[in-house]
Amino acid sequence: MSAPSHMTEFPDVTPRMAKVYEQLHKLAIGGHSADEVHGDGEIIPRLWDITSIHDPQLRSETWKWLESFVYWFNTQQTWYSHDQIPPCWPQHPHLVRDIATLADQRRTAGEAPTSTALDEWHRYTIPNFLERTRTARQGCDNDHVPWPGKPAHTRHITETNTTRRHSIIDADIATLPHSVTNLRRLHSS
């Protein structure tokens, strides 16, 4: 078996993304650097969680980076088509979250001073990702398949079922001693 005829570098993050990663690194190490980041008062987006990015330009850059990552992953990390990320991946929220985490972990491993993190990414992260996403990838081999869980979710959120769940929860809370119940009310206010 021969390798792909071309090797592609892992996609770079944009300067804005790099700045966010720098701020997150400062938070992770703590101390005075973290105090400076906290001093700004803004919540730092987690680039591996697209829903935490509220700046439109940064979110657009992150989507483009994820698109580049998927291309890179499909051409550089998979051999068989059944392991490739399907082209409809942005339509699957769970795939978007998994892909963003996979990309972030690969970026982190690639910046490590030794090969240990990259070895772990290959040994554990990729196989776990492929296992978790197998159904979605197979379901969309030829065309996008709408969310099969939608009917169950629709039943879950009906007024009748929501009321029933809340009644059960309220009954459970009512079994607690009075002082604990009052404490719970204080926390929910």
Side-chain angles (χ1 to χ4, degrees), residues 92-94 135-136 144-157:
H92 298 278
H94 67 289
T135 304
H144 173 71
V145 174
W147 182 28
K150 187 173 183 177
H153 175 69
T154 302
R155 283 190 307 277
H156 180 83
I157 63 172

Side-chain angles (χ1 to χ4, degrees), residues 4-5 62 77 84 89 108 113 119 136 140 143 148 160 167 173 175 186:
S5 60
T62 304
Q77 298 295 318
Q84 291 191 354
W89 66 269
T108 302
D119 178 56
C140 294
D143 198 13
T160 301
S167 294
I173 293 170
T175 64
L186 286 174

Side-chain angles (χ1 to χ4, degrees), residues 6 32 44 49 59 65 70 79 82 88 100 105 113 119-120 126-127 158 161 178 187:
H6 61 285
H32 182 65
I44 310 299
D49 179 2
R59 195 161 176 158
W65 181 66
V70 168
W79 184 257
H82 66 268
C88 60
Q105 290 178 350
D119 178 56
E120 289 177 0
I126 291 176
T158 64
N161 287 330
H178 183 63
H187 288 295

